């Protein structure tokens, strides 16, 4: 089995794709991995995509910087997934699937954590464009809302009231 030791480059096609975890740690997508790079130690750790993934479509880091959610493009006929990882250990905490809302989308176009890091919104892509609100620790879908028939580019929580979210896109 091939195990990466060092990765050069970044997948620049994603929005909000480079995150500072702390003053010396940066997280970013590169190829089929999320790289957690320690600048002072010059050490990289990796979160690999799942075996059947066709690439990373979105990344969100929690406000407390302890969690990262990674969305991956699913193969044809399979639902989109977002996986929440612990940044310190890189261990998988929860896998969330668009199948929970009976959606046909293969991708989540964007994601965001709530201010308390307990909620996660995932914006489904074509053809559904449905926003999903997750109680991610329980793996439960809290709400779903069809947003548009046009692309959505960004979603976020109100930092003071997690019952209020914002989406940005064409014709929204």
């Amino acid at each position: 089995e091939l195990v990466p030791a060092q990765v050069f480059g970044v997948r620049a096609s994603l929005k909000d794709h480079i995150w500072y975890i702390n003053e010396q740690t940066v997280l970013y997508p590169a190829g089929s991995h999320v790289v957690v790079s320690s600048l002072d130690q010059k050490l990289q750790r990796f979160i690999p995509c799942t075996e059947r993934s066709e690439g990373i479509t979105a990344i969100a880091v929690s406000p407390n910087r302890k969690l990262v959610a990674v969305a991956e493009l699913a193969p044809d006929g399979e639902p989109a997934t977002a996986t929440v990882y612990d940044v310190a250990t890189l261990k998988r905490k929860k896998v969330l699937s668009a199948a929970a809302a009976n959606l046909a989308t293969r991708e989540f176009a964007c994601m965001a954590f709530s201010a308390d890091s307990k909620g996660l919104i995932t914006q489904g892509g074509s053809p559904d464009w449905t926003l999903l609100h997750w109680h991610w620790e329980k793996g439960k879908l809290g709400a779903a809302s069809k947003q548009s028939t046009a692309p959505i580019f960004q979603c976020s929580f109100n930092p003071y009231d997690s019952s209020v979210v914002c989406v940005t896109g064409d014709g929204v």
Side-chain angles (χ1 to χ4, degrees):
E1 180 176 314
L2 187 61
V3 178
Q6 191 78 19
V7 172
F8 298 97
V10 65
R11 184 160 182 215
S13 61
L14 300 181
K15 287 195 174 283
D16 298 326
H17 63 282
I18 299 177
W19 296 83
Y20 272 96
I21 302 303
N22 57 44
E23 289 183 11
Q24 294 298 322
T25 307
V26 179
L27 182 144
Y28 58 91
S32 61
H33 290 78
V34 172
V35 180
V36 181
S37 184
S38 173
L39 303 176
D40 58 344
Q41 297 176 351
K42 297 181 180 20
L43 174 72
Q44 292 181 332
R45 298 180 303 144
F46 306 97
I47 300 171
C49 285
T50 56
E51 191 173 302
R52 296 178 42 80
S53 171
E54 294 185 12
I56 297 168
T57 60
I59 292 177
V61 173
S62 64
N64 65 13
R65 302 293 198 245
K66 293 182 178 181
L67 305 164
V68 60
V70 180
E72 299 178 48
L73 181 63
D76 282 334
E78 293 186 25
T81 60
T83 306
V84 178
Y85 295 91
D86 180 296
V87 173
T89 65
L90 304 186
K91 291 196 181 205
R92 182 181 310 144
K93 303 212 31 115
K94 196 64 70 177
V95 177
L96 309 170
S97 173
N102 296 316
L103 298 180
T105 187
R106 297 175 49 214
E107 70 175 312
F108 290 126
C110 52
M111 304 183 292
F113 280 96
S114 61
D116 65 3
S117 302
K118 293 182 179 180
L120 179 71
I121 51 176
T122 55
Q123 176 62 60
S126 180
D128 302 307
W129 297 108
T130 300
L131 184 72
L132 304 176
H133 179 266
W134 301 91
H135 303 285
W136 74 264
E137 290 174 300
K138 298 175 184 174
K140 300 228 184 239
L141 181 61
S145 175
K146 183 157 178 60
Q147 297 304 304
S148 172
T149 56
I152 303 290
F153 305 117
Q154 185 176 11
C155 59
S156 62
F157 277 96
N158 178 318
Y160 304 104
D161 181 355
S162 64
S163 68
V164 178
V165 298
C166 176
V167 295
T168 307
D170 291 339
V172 176

